[in-house]
Amino acid sequence: MTMTAMTPAPGLKMPPEGARLFAAADPSQATHLATYGIIPDVTPAQLLEQVRMSGLTGRGGAGFPTARKLEAVTSGSKGPAVVVANGAEGEPASRKDAELLRRAPHLVIDGIEVAARITGAQEAYAYVRAEVVPDLRQALAERRPTVKITVVAATDTFVSGQETAVVSRLNEGPALPRFSRHRIFQRGIGDRATLVQNVETLAHLGLIARYGGVWFASAGTPESTGTFLTTVHPVTEPLTTAPTVWEAAHGLSLRQLISPAAGRPVEELQAVLIGGYHGTWVPLPAALDAPLSRAGLEQYGADLGAGVLVPLASTACGLELTASIVAYLARQSAQQCGPCQFGLPELAQNFTALATGRVGRGGVEAVRQSAGLVENRGACKHPDGTTRLVRSALRVFEKDVTLHQYGRCLARIGEPYGGAR
Amino acid sequence: MTRPLIVDWTACEGRGLCADLLPEVLTQDRWGYPQNRHPGPILVPDELEGPARQAVRMCPRLALRLESA
Ligand code: SF4
Ligand code: SF4
């Protein structure tokens, strides 16, 4: 394999060992350049070839191959394309995009410039959580970007980061998912071909443009290349206590990632929620040594999604936690599609009834039925993401589901419901 | 051969005209929204293409689209 894109350019530093995205000690441009050097001046075709070789996939949750998305935008473009850096991070359990923008804003900007070079875009948007807008503005003020980058504060709702919602918002519309007769890569912002890419994906792109695809794939596993950012929650009160964001190589085991924050032997955990509120429950300790990679998580029907990990203690009730998440997700429906608008509240109600031991046998069936009523029936992934979580809970907490139907709970095995609350 | 029938769920108001015109494929859910009789994507077999096209034309919200296979 020739490495034309790797021809050393003046000022290019050697790739850092270990942490990649988080290698710089502070977010300033000076430290950024001292850590990574400058991006070599190579052609768009050479850049795209390196992205292809890297095996990089989208880090926003869907995991789509980045090279294919870049190609789709490039070939679907009649006029100049538009690049969107998506850092909306509407998922409340995720912190990694905000953390990245705080610690390494220049890598994200590099990625925007590289994506623009590949797609021929002259204009870009950074759609990020309001709290990190100042960090990004500060970084932009330190350099002269090669494309016009407009920073827009994202709306603070769960579905605001869905691609069609981002495009709608940047088209001066509401931050709501849209049904579209066209694909965004053909017609997005201002009806132009649009590349919507998660900010972490772009940051990796900024490094691939420097060190090449082979370097990128030297970390991780053969099918899940590179490093990824993960938001790891502590075991106690996972929904309220501050999580930690780590950069990890794909293939690391669950044990390695959740141990530091667990505060107890990880063998005492009963499950971990992988991927966030639209994610999948995975049983512990069975999966403790599962490698965090596509292949490693496949047998559990899970994937890393946007990298959220929420471990659950054996003394907690997984159904109760799931019920509160489903109730939240039902409230976050954008109320545009009937099945989602009416079906999610019903699903939440049925699940809560099950989790609080208020239904007898048949409680699970009611949950399954209302899940079936929303699946595949919305303009965005919200209904399907919610049922994915629900179905994994029924699977992983199967024993508890049975007990709850008899008014008992594994987490409080001695107490009948009613007495305890 | 079958063709996918796409529903724009943000436009559909769930009065069920499409389910009346295409009962072999669609029914209505409890709220009146069109529901596939089979799990998965809504697929229209060739012999029902006529009624399917009529449903697309008659939908008051222009919420239906019949794709080519
Ligand atoms: S599926 Fe739900 S969240 Fe998505 S656009 Fe429709 S109503 Fe909104
Ligand atoms: S005819 Fe159109 S608006 Fe009426 S239920 Fe069918 S798709 Fe919805």
Side-chain angles (χ1 to χ4, degrees), chain A residues 357-415:
Chain A
R358 285 193 276 102
V359 281
R361 293 157 63 89
V364 204
E365 213 23 62
V367 169
R368 288 220 170 87
Q369 256 177 25
S370 37
L373 269 182
V374 296
E375 251 156 0
N376 267 315
R377 302 179 76 210
C380 78
K381 301 190 198 95
H382 194 51
D384 293 6
T386 307
T387 52
R388 178 182 159 118
L389 170 76
V390 163
R391 292 196 189 280
S392 77
L394 295 183
R395 196 165 62 228
V396 170
F397 306 120
E398 197 189 350
K399 282 199 197 107
D400 226 358
V401 167
T402 311
L403 272 180
H404 277 76
Q405 293 187 102
Y406 292 100
R408 303 216 159 226
C409 169
L410 212 51
R412 310 177 183 77
I413 191 73
E415 317 163 2

Side-chain angles (χ1 to χ4, degrees), chain A residues 177-182 336-339 341-344 346 369-370 372-374 376-379, chain B residues 6-12 27-36 39-41 62-65:
Chain A
R178 281 290 156 93
F179 175 85
S180 168
R181 287 175 188 273
H182 308 279
Q336 303 191 103
C337 314
Q341 182 179 357
F342 301 111
L344 285 188
E346 185 186 286
Q369 256 177 25
S370 37
L373 269 182
V374 296
N376 267 315
R377 302 179 76 210
Chain B
I6 310 291
V7 183
D8 174 356
W9 295 104
T10 64
C12 169
T27 169
Q28 275 178 283
D29 68 16
R30 196 162 340 126
W31 308 290
Y33 296 92
Q35 191 181 2
N36 197 1
L62 301 178
L64 295 173
R65 185 178 76 203

Side-chain angles (χ1 to χ4, degrees), chain B residues 13-64:
Chain B
E13 273 186 340
R15 302 287 158 78
L17 182 63
C18 52
D20 286 344
L21 292 169
L22 202 56
E24 298 87 347
V25 177
L26 297 174
T27 169
Q28 275 178 283
D29 68 16
R30 196 162 340 126
W31 308 290
Y33 296 92
Q35 191 181 2
N36 197 1
R37 289 199 182 269
H38 311 279
I42 307 173
L43 296 173
V44 176
D46 277 350
E47 59 272 23
L48 292 172
E49 197 187 318
R53 290 208 179 281
Q54 199 189 8
V56 169
R57 253 194 331 269
M58 307 264 297
C59 167
R61 304 279 305 159
L62 301 178
L64 295 173

Side-chain angles (χ1 to χ4, degrees), chain A residues 142-392:
Chain A
E142 288 178 331
R143 60 197 270 169
R144 191 171 304 163
T146 56
V147 281
K148 182 176 164 252
I149 301 175
T150 309
V151 182
V152 179
T155 312
D156 192 17
T157 56
F158 191 84
V159 296
S160 64
Q162 301 259 350
E163 278 196 12
T164 55
V166 174
V167 169
S168 167
R169 176 72 192 84
L170 296 177
N171 272 333
E172 309 283 315
L176 296 175
R178 281 290 156 93
F179 175 85
S180 168
R181 287 175 188 273
H182 308 279
R183 310 293 293 272
I184 288 167
F185 62 76
Q186 293 165 323
R187 280 204 213 172
I189 292 171
D191 274 346
R192 281 175 291 163
T194 301
L195 176 84
V196 180
Q197 202 67 270
N198 171 261
V199 286
E200 184 196 336
T201 319
L202 289 168
H204 286 296
L205 213 54
L207 294 181
I208 292 167
R210 289 177 164 89
Y211 313 127
V214 171
W215 166 82
F216 183 81
S218 68
T221 68
E223 30 77 54
S224 294
T225 52
T227 61
F228 67 100
L229 297 181
T230 170
T231 310
V232 185
H233 288 254
V235 174
T236 45
E237 298 185 67
L239 299 179
T240 50
T241 319
T244 319
V245 176
W246 308 94
E247 179 177 6
H250 281 119
L252 227 66
S253 69
L254 256 171
R255 181 195 296 277
Q256 283 167 299
L257 271 179
I258 56 184
S259 291
R264 68 183 75 192
V266 283
E267 285 73 14
E268 288 174 16
L269 303 174
Q270 60 167 316
V272 57
L273 176 60
I274 300 187
Y277 289 8
H278 277 175
T280 309
W281 283 108
V282 166
L284 294 181
L288 267 178
D289 294 303
L292 290 165
S293 67
R294 194 165 317 142
L297 294 174
E298 212 167 32
Q299 57 170 311
Y300 300 102
D303 63 60
L304 272 168
V308 174
L309 299 178
V310 185
L312 185 75
S314 49
T315 48
C317 176
L319 295 176
E320 229 169 70
L321 178 53
T322 306
S324 71
I325 298 176
V326 175
Y328 167 84
L329 292 174
R331 287 195 300 274
Q332 291 292 318
S333 160
Q335 311 276 317
Q336 303 191 103
C337 314
C340 176
Q341 182 179 357
F342 301 111
L344 285 188
E346 185 186 286
L347 175 62
Q349 223 171 44
N350 287 339
F351 202 98
T352 304
L354 174 71
T356 48
R358 285 193 276 102
V359 281
R361 293 157 63 89
V364 204
E365 213 23 62
V367 169
R368 288 220 170 87
Q369 256 177 25
S370 37
L373 269 182
V374 296
E375 251 156 0
N376 267 315
R377 302 179 76 210
C380 78
K381 301 190 198 95
H382 194 51
D384 293 6
T386 307
T387 52
R388 178 182 159 118
L389 170 76
V390 163
R391 292 196 189 280
S392 77

Side-chain angles (χ1 to χ4, degrees), chain A residues 4-207:
Chain A
T4 24
M6 290 298 295
T7 312
L12 181 67
K13 303 265 295 186
M14 281 308 289
E17 292 281 334
R20 293 173 164 190
L21 302 176
F22 286 165
D26 67 66
S28 72
Q29 194 198 18
T31 308
H32 169 73
L33 287 175
T35 309
Y36 303 109
I38 59 157
I39 297 179
D41 192 16
V42 293
T43 67
Q46 285 171 322
L47 282 172
L48 183 58
E49 179 56 23
Q50 295 303 321
V51 182
R52 211 177 276 126
M53 282 162 60
S54 74
L56 174 65
T57 53
R59 302 291 201 245
F64 193 78
T66 305
R68 281 197 4 231
K69 209 165 175 181
L70 284 163
E71 274 163 344
V73 172
T74 310
S75 61
S77 186
K78 293 196 186 72
V82 183
V83 169
V84 177
N86 185 2
E89 205 168 35
E91 161 76 57
S94 181
R95 281 280 167 285
K96 59 118 181 155
D97 289 346
E99 186 82 355
L100 175 68
L101 285 157
R102 221 173 266 130
R103 289 173 64 173
H106 283 285
L107 266 187
V108 176
I109 301 170
D110 286 351
I112 294 174
E113 293 184 339
V114 170
R117 238 155 90 188
I118 296 175
T119 57
Q122 281 145 26
E123 210 190 320
Y125 291 86
Y127 185 65
V128 302
R129 273 193 184 180
E131 65 196 81
V132 287
V133 165
D135 301 79
L136 193 53
R137 288 241 162 88
Q138 157 103 35
L140 282 167
E142 288 178 331
R143 60 197 270 169
R144 191 171 304 163
T146 56
V147 281
K148 182 176 164 252
I149 301 175
T150 309
V151 182
V152 179
T155 312
D156 192 17
T157 56
F158 191 84
V159 296
S160 64
Q162 301 259 350
E163 278 196 12
T164 55
V166 174
V167 169
S168 167
R169 176 72 192 84
L170 296 177
N171 272 333
E172 309 283 315
L176 296 175
R178 281 290 156 93
F179 175 85
S180 168
R181 287 175 188 273
H182 308 279
R183 310 293 293 272
I184 288 167
F185 62 76
Q186 293 165 323
R187 280 204 213 172
I189 292 171
D191 274 346
R192 281 175 291 163
T194 301
L195 176 84
V196 180
Q197 202 67 270
N198 171 261
V199 286
E200 184 196 336
T201 319
L202 289 168
H204 286 296
L205 213 54
L207 294 181

